[in-house]
Amino acid sequence: MKKIALVLVLVGLTNLLFSQSLLWKISGKNLKSPSYFYGTIHIQDQRVFAFDSTVLKAIASCDAFAMEILMDKLDPVQLKGAMYMPKGKVLSNMMSKEDFVLLDSVCKAKLGASAIFFNTMKPFFLSSALEQMEMPQDETEALDLFFLKTARSQEKSCFGLEEYMDQIKAIDAFKMKDQVDMLLQYVRDTVGQNAEEFDALLQAYLTFDFDKMLDLMSGTDYPKKFQKVLVDKRNITMANEFERIAQQQTLFAAVGAAHLAGEKGVLALLKKRGYTVEPVLFNWVSK
């Protein structure tokens, strides 16, 4: 699995403790009423929106909503600035001329613009943009943004479980060389392997088959030394903020599925703190 865009969504699926559902009820301890976590995937494929009414009822039952970053409150200037490399660094100087020509052809085909226009963008973000263009865009927004839109329409209080720069610091833990290497692995795919791997991963997500997800991720080129920064540290931040909000009002939180799973995942952290953590079963339905 060479995709970068899914790193913050589904990476770190080792030692899974929770695999029965994407929806989890958090209760007990000092919570007056249950709150919920839902494992998302940041895509617009209609298949991940086909959950039955159980999920929407869970949202409706809560006073507040949270996601990793409160996307509709981001500062556009900060957002844009964080996507670009330090002054003086350009992609064309970080790879061979032949590789940049290949990147240019892929950018023109998928983004409709030369790689020159993205020459100062961090490779991580360019990879993400290219990958998004390969994925089905059936819905008008990605799944996590759909949940935010739903919460806003119900006039709920909305929160971010972390700050935008927390994610940027995690991304910046990748050396530029590592980011460039993964970008080039993506653009060199000439047999459709990226698309096949994504489809397999999506099917595992839809069937709650975390063993399959683990098999797919086991071949990743993702530098495992960044697990602590990309996932584990952020899990603690998310668990802390979830706990703080849920103690004051019932909360539905939607975060990347990777953050829920594992011995260091959010669900395990909350369970260790004395909360009751239970799967809420639901079905996928045809639209």
Side-chain angles (χ1 to χ4, degrees):
M1 177 66 66
K2 298 179 177 63
K3 287 191 171 288
I4 301 177
L6 296 178
V7 166
L8 301 182
V9 181
L10 290 171
V11 80
L13 292 168
T14 56
N15 300 316
L16 290 167
L17 301 178
F18 307 95
S19 60
Q20 300 97 322
S21 183
L22 295 171
L23 178 62
W24 292 83
K25 181 171 73 172
I26 314 299
S27 60
K29 201 173 179 180
N30 53 352
L31 300 184
K32 295 181 180 179
S33 299
S35 287
Y36 297 88
F37 258 113
Y38 190 89
T40 63
I41 181 170
H42 189 73
I43 60 175
Q44 295 167 246
D45 191 310
Q46 63 183 353
R47 289 171 287 181
V48 304
F49 291 78
F51 38 73
D52 65 25
S53 61
T54 304
V55 176
L56 293 179
K57 286 179 180 177
I59 298 177
S61 72
C62 294
D63 300 318
F65 170 81
M67 59 195 305
E68 293 178 29
I69 300 168
L70 194 53
M71 296 297 291
D72 60 356
K73 293 298 182 182
L74 285 176
D75 180 350
V77 175
Q78 183 185 44
L79 178 64
K80 183 177 179 180
M83 293 175 62
Y84 290 89
M85 293 185 287
K87 187 175 181 179
K89 284 188 174 293
V90 292
L91 287 173
S92 56
N93 290 340
M94 302 172 72
M95 59 184 71
S96 69
K97 181 178 179 180
E98 292 76 16
D99 284 335
F100 191 76
V101 169
L102 176 60
L103 175 63
D104 185 62
S105 66
V106 173
C107 286
K108 287 176 179 176
K110 297 185 182 298
L111 301 176
S114 170
I116 292 296
F117 289 97
F118 309 103
N119 208 14
T120 59
M121 181 178 284
K122 292 176 182 176
F124 181 97
F125 289 104
L126 180 53
S127 297
S128 298
L130 290 169
E131 290 163 14
Q132 287 294 321
M133 297 306 296
E134 277 193 358
M135 299 176 190
Q137 298 183 14
D138 310 311
E139 305 293 337
T140 57
E141 65 266 311
L143 181 59
D144 48 356
L145 294 176
F146 165 79
F147 284 137
L148 174 60
K149 183 177 178 179
T150 300
R152 291 291 191 195
S153 71
Q154 296 174 5
E155 299 183 344
K156 298 183 185 299
S157 301
C158 294
F159 302 91
L161 296 180
E162 60 180 344
E163 297 295 328
Y164 176 62
M165 291 311 297
D166 293 335
Q167 281 199 5
I168 296 303
K169 288 176 183 177
I171 292 168
D172 287 345
F174 285 93
K175 294 180 180 178
M176 286 298 169
K177 182 182 182 302
D178 293 325
Q179 293 189 37
V180 169
D181 287 345
M182 285 187 282
L183 171 61
L184 291 176
Q185 286 169 352
Y186 170 79
V187 300
R188 287 170 182 158
D189 174 34
T190 59
V191 294
Q193 184 179 357
N194 288 326
E196 290 179 5
E197 290 177 339
F198 172 76
D199 284 342
L201 187 60
L202 179 57
Q203 285 304 314
Y205 175 86
L206 293 172
T207 57
F208 314 139
D209 187 349
F210 291 101
D211 288 335
K212 181 65 174 177
M213 288 185 188
L214 180 58
D215 288 341
L216 290 168
M217 296 303 295
S218 64
T220 183
D221 295 302
Y222 157 69
K224 299 190 182 302
K225 64 182 178 180
F226 295 117
Q227 168 78 21
K228 184 175 181 180
V229 176
L230 282 170
V231 182
D232 296 347
K233 284 187 176 181
R234 293 174 58 217
N235 288 348
I236 295 172
T237 299
M238 292 181 197
N240 290 344
E241 192 64 8
F242 177 91
E243 187 174 20
R244 183 189 70 79
I245 299 169
Q247 287 173 356
Q248 301 172 27
Q249 52 191 322
T250 52
L251 177 64
F252 184 99
V255 302
H259 296 291
L260 300 188
E263 295 178 350
K264 296 182 180 180
V266 171
L267 298 178
L269 292 174
L270 292 173
K271 191 172 184 179
K272 289 176 182 177
R273 296 178 188 184
Y275 293 96
T276 300
V277 179
E278 305 169 278
V280 179
L281 304 182
F282 67 91
N283 296 309
W284 302 108
V285 296
S286 299
K287 289 191 174 183

